[in-house]
Amino acid sequence: MKKTLTFLFIGILSICLFVSSGELEESPDVITLSVLHYLDLADDVSNQNFEKLVAAFEASHPNIRLMFDYLVNEPYHNKLQTLNIADELPDLMFLWPGKRTGNVTGSGKIKDLRPWLEGKESMFAPSAMAPQGPNGEIYELPEQVTATHVMYVNTKLLDELGLSFPSTLDELLDQKDTIINAGYIPIAMDNKDGWQMQSTFLSALVERTGSREWLIEARDGDASFSDPEFVNAVAVVEDLSDADMFSPGINQAEYGRALTDFNTGKAVYFIDGGWRVSNIVGEMAAELQPSIELYSFPDIPNQKGKTQSTAIVAGTGFGMNANLTGEKAEAAWKWIWFFSGPEGSKIKQEQGWLPAVKLPPTDDTPELQKKLAVFLSEKPGGYVIDAVMDGEGMGTLHPLLQQMMLGEITAQQVGDRYENWVAENDSGRK
């Protein structure tokens, strides 16, 4: 019933937005832009935070109206790809800096933002300005630079259990009985959509067992995903799954359940991206937040990469349809600049984000955001797999990881079968 009501609400909201924007479009003084945005309307904190951004933008730009269509996870990517193929992309859309939306950004249908960015590049963290196209194009303006892998730790629970943060995988596995017997979840994660295990965990593990350079070699065909460098990383996931270290029902759990378990003190560890800091700040009881620390996963067997390394990527952001010209293009840029530039980023900073644009910390900056800034400044970073490899291949890799966690296949079979897909289909091999 709850899910039915959620979908009904989304449908009614979409209709209202459409009608409102359609009426405004008739006014010659108002520019209306269609926007496809990646947002889970069932996530109250993220939804409310975004509403504050939109309200602030509309207050300062009364002649621009944004007509939003909201989706999340694979439905978002499926719709974006469908619209791209049909040549019906909206005016603005939420994009990734790497290959996750590479079929769209590489289609020639997205504007290069460099003409608008000229002279503003130094306002951003250097990694946010990394080229996104073959000739240095910037297709989306990153809202943040983030680690896709953070191991959040409830130190209050560790102290209660007489434990400390482990330095190795074996030490972590040795904590299992103590944690479970006390009624807690060892590692809270949800993986129904599949990308979570790949992006927030496996990517960091591949940096450990292979290296940043190795993943590029695998993309280009100078190495293989059947190699030990990849299989050893997958085997860590297999070992943890076999030991029941993850949340019960992890592969059936909707994104957000693990966060709730961690925020309510039901889990000792929680693996997700750095972006979850804003949710923890907004949802966890204030008195519990000082006990939360940010780590990277402990050392693992067959490690070749750097200890405590994570996976770091320039953030997502909005891009605009290449067909936009004149006042409509300028209006689209105003939203992009507001969303990721100083004004919108200041609002996000207050919400617990660490923006890509350089902003000094304030007295009101949440402590967890400060901890994330230290984490990003100290931890070595590898690549995120779906930022390097074709997004379509995640439709093969993600289910393979889930099958392995269910005990149906081995880590080596995951590597072999993903390599078969890459060899036949990935653009890096062609």
Side-chain angles (χ1 to χ4, degrees):
M1 173 64 73
K2 182 178 179 182
K3 183 176 290 186
T4 301
L5 290 173
T6 299
F7 284 127
L8 180 60
F9 168 75
I10 294 170
I12 293 172
L13 178 62
S14 298
I15 293 170
C16 291
L17 286 169
F18 177 80
V19 172
S20 173
S21 298
E23 292 171 352
L24 288 167
E25 199 166 15
E26 295 175 2
S27 170
D29 299 324
V30 174
I31 299 172
T32 300
L33 299 169
S34 58
V35 190
L36 181 61
H37 186 32
Y38 188 93
L39 181 69
D40 184 359
L41 292 177
D43 182 341
D44 292 338
V45 170
S46 295
N47 192 25
Q48 291 168 11
N49 286 345
F50 185 67
E51 286 177 353
K52 292 177 184 177
L53 278 173
V54 175
F57 175 79
E58 291 181 341
S60 58
H61 299 84
N63 66 320
I64 300 174
R65 290 295 181 268
L66 305 173
M67 184 175 69
F68 287 98
D69 186 5
Y70 299 109
L71 286 169
V72 72
N73 293 323
E74 289 310 308
Y76 177 88
H77 292 285
N78 292 338
K79 179 162 186 175
L80 182 63
Q81 190 169 11
T82 299
L83 293 172
N84 181 51
I85 293 171
D87 200 21
E88 294 180 356
L89 288 172
D91 299 322
L92 288 155
M93 65 232 75
F94 201 68
L95 298 169
W96 275 245
K99 283 194 172 184
R100 189 65 181 96
T101 52
N103 61 321
V104 178
T105 55
S107 67
K109 300 174 185 177
I110 306 298
K111 260 195 199 303
D112 181 5
L113 300 179
R114 286 180 297 175
W116 286 277
L117 270 171
E118 188 173 356
K120 301 180 178 70
E121 297 89 344
S122 62
M123 297 172 65
F124 291 82
S127 56
M129 294 291 99
Q132 298 169 7
N135 301 307
E137 294 91 345
I138 300 290
Y139 296 118
E140 56 91 5
L141 186 58
E143 58 181 324
Q144 64 177 329
V145 175
T146 191
T148 66
H149 166 77
V150 178
M151 193 166 183
Y152 297 90
V153 182
N154 188 325
T155 60
K156 181 179 179 181
L157 291 185
L158 280 182
D159 292 342
E160 174 190 316
L161 298 172
L163 301 173
S164 59
F165 187 78
S167 58
T168 67
L169 172 63
D170 286 341
E171 289 180 10
L172 175 62
L173 289 168
D174 287 342
Q175 295 181 356
K176 170 197 167 182
D177 290 341
T178 301
I179 295 173
I180 291 180
N181 290 341
Y184 298 116
I185 299 167
I187 303 173
M189 283 191 76
D190 30 35
N191 192 47
K192 181 177 180 180
D193 304 300
W195 66 265
Q196 296 96 324
M197 187 59 67
Q198 171 269 131
S199 180
T200 72
F201 194 23
L202 181 61
S203 293
L205 296 176
V206 170
E207 159 63 19
R208 302 286 187 85
T209 57
S211 68
R212 186 178 177 90
E213 295 74 22
W214 180 87
L215 185 55
I216 298 302
E217 292 174 359
R219 178 198 66 187
D220 297 343
D222 298 322
S224 167
F225 288 96
S226 293
D227 292 346
E229 285 83 355
F230 185 73
V231 174
N232 289 338
V234 177
V236 173
V237 178
E238 184 178 31
D239 290 344
L240 291 168
S241 182
D242 289 347
D244 295 323
M245 292 289 284
F246 293 122
S247 299
I250 177 174
N251 289 318
Q252 291 78 46
E254 298 280 358
Y255 191 52
R257 193 185 80 178
L259 173 70
T260 299
D261 287 338
F262 186 71
N263 282 342
T264 53
K266 297 178 182 178
V268 175
Y269 303 111
F270 168 53
I271 292 178
D272 208 313
W275 55 84
R276 279 311 201 184
V277 162
S278 62
N279 292 90
I280 296 174
V281 169
E283 298 173 23
M284 180 180 280
E287 63 270 19
L288 298 179
Q289 293 183 29
S291 66
I292 306 305
E293 298 294 339
L294 279 58
Y295 286 81
S296 188
F297 197 75
D299 288 344
I300 61 179
N302 306 299
Q303 185 164 300
K304 296 180 179 179
K306 298 176 181 177
T307 188
Q308 283 288 297
S309 60
T310 180
I312 295 177
V313 67
T316 48
F318 282 97
M320 74 169 88
N321 193 313
N323 291 330
L324 295 189
T325 59
E327 290 184 349
K328 212 162 187 187
E330 292 300 326
W333 168 250
K334 286 178 181 177
W335 166 249
I336 293 170
W337 180 247
F338 178 89
F339 184 80
S340 297
E343 192 174 354
S345 292
K346 189 174 186 303
I347 297 173
K348 292 179 191 175
Q349 185 183 53
E350 295 167 355
Q351 296 170 349
W353 287 72
L354 186 64
V357 73
K358 298 173 184 175
L359 293 176
T362 67
D363 293 339
D364 298 329
T365 298
E367 191 61 32
L368 273 175
Q369 190 199 77
K370 295 177 183 177
K371 291 179 180 179
L372 178 60
V374 172
F375 181 93
L376 286 166
S377 68
E378 293 181 346
K379 304 301 182 189
Y383 291 113
V384 182
I385 296 171
D386 66 13
V388 171
M389 308 303 298
D390 283 356
E392 295 85 347
M394 299 305 104
T396 294
L397 178 58
H398 296 167
L400 287 172
L401 292 171
Q402 291 173 328
Q403 283 182 266
M404 180 193 68
M405 294 171 70
L406 293 171
E408 297 174 359
I409 58 176
T410 66
Q412 184 65 58
Q413 287 174 311
V414 172
D416 291 343
R417 295 179 187 182
Y418 181 54
E419 169 62 25
N420 289 340
W421 187 93
V422 170
E424 294 179 6
N425 302 285
D426 198 275
S427 60
R429 299 286 182 89
K430 295 180 180 179

